[in-house]
Amino acid sequence: MSDLAFSVLDVVAEPYTAAPQLTARLRIEERAGRRIHAIALHCQVRIEPQRRPYDAIERDGLHALFGERERWSDTLRPFQWMQCDTTVQGFTGATEFDLPLPCTYDFDVVGSRYLHALRDGAVPLTLMFSGTVFTRGQAGFGVQRVPWDREARHELPVAVWRQMMAYHFPNTGWIRLDHDVLARFADFRAKRGLTSWEETVDALLAENGEVVR
């Protein structure tokens, strides 16, 4: 049996992808001396929010996700951020490779809402691995599973995630709306002769007594 150990060397923001993407540079070490022909690798990326502190502003931003601060001992639990797959080429001993981590700005996704609430520091990640290992020996090919307990931790700087979003949405963001709500927005904008969606939202906030900054 192969004995695989995983580690995260770095995570960087990709500036030239069609959609927001981080790339994790990973290392696999095969400690049993077996020749690996290839690995069809699956990865679940989990955020573990209980592993970092939060200031008062961040706690306010996370209220909708985790509730009152007094309840965080019960509500601050790990949650899945994403799943991704790749193929690792053959190697002996150890190898390094890139794992694409596709991201979204969608505020309906828990991971995005969590990340938007953070001001600085790091995001505690755990990458959990599974998949199929193809080995090669004198008798031909062998197939085995990546053990379910293979994982690696990483502290992703919040600044890296913000840099990635700035590459794709500089000084902007977006929210998803129902078609009927969007039509009402458009009607409101047209009746008041507003020239942009920013002016439309500002006008709505002003009508409800909110301070427009």
Side-chain angles (χ1 to χ4, degrees):
M1 289 289 291
S2 300
D3 182 12
L4 302 175
F6 294 81
S7 56
V8 181
L9 304 179
D10 197 11
V11 177
V12 299
E14 295 290 353
Y16 303 117
T17 52
Q21 178 187 305
L22 299 170
T23 296
R25 185 67 176 173
L26 303 181
R27 174 183 170 87
I28 300 180
E29 181 181 0
E30 203 295 301
R31 299 177 293 194
R34 302 287 300 276
R35 166 66 182 170
I36 302 299
H37 178 64
I39 303 176
L41 189 66
H42 178 71
C43 179
Q44 297 182 54
V45 184
R46 183 172 64 182
I47 294 176
E48 299 190 332
Q50 75 282 5
R51 285 170 40 198
R52 60 156 286 164
Y54 302 92
D55 62 26
I57 295 176
E58 290 172 333
R59 289 196 295 270
D60 288 342
L62 293 170
H63 180 271
L65 288 178
F66 303 121
E68 299 293 340
R69 181 65 181 87
E70 294 74 19
R71 299 180 54 223
W72 280 21
S73 59
D74 297 320
T75 60
L76 212 63
R77 292 286 184 263
F79 60 88
Q80 183 168 293
W81 185 19
M82 68 179 73
Q83 300 188 56
C84 40
D85 299 276
T86 193
T87 299
V88 182
Q89 302 299 314
F91 67 94
T92 300
T95 190
E96 297 179 8
F97 63 98
D98 291 335
L99 177 66
L101 305 177
C103 301
T104 178
Y105 208 116
D106 191 345
F107 276 92
D108 288 339
V109 177
V110 172
S112 295
R113 293 169 64 190
Y114 173 80
L115 289 162
H116 276 287
L118 304 183
R119 299 201 298 165
D120 52 26
V123 183
L125 303 179
T126 295
L127 285 71
M128 301 177 292
F129 301 99
S130 60
T132 304
V133 182
F134 301 92
T135 60
R136 183 164 57 189
Q138 295 180 348
F141 290 99
V143 178
Q144 56 190 262
R145 301 296 297 176
V146 175
W148 286 98
D149 62 349
R150 302 296 102 136
E151 61 181 42
R153 284 186 169 186
H154 181 69
E155 301 294 315
L156 171 67
V158 173
V160 172
W161 183 82
R162 292 193 179 279
Q163 181 185 47
M164 176 198 65
M165 286 303 176
Y167 285 147
H168 296 273
F169 305 104
N171 299 316
T172 61
W174 62 273
I175 57 175
R176 183 170 57 187
L177 298 174
D178 182 84
H179 285 296
D180 292 339
V181 175
L182 187 58
R184 290 163 59 195
F185 261 112
D187 184 60
F188 180 90
R189 174 180 172 178
K191 287 180 178 178
R192 285 159 177 77
L194 303 171
T195 60
S196 70
W197 291 112
E198 287 80 3
E199 287 183 335
T200 305
V201 174
D202 284 346
L204 283 169
L205 291 173
E207 286 191 6
N208 284 276
E210 298 288 342
V211 176
V212 180
R213 297 178 182 178

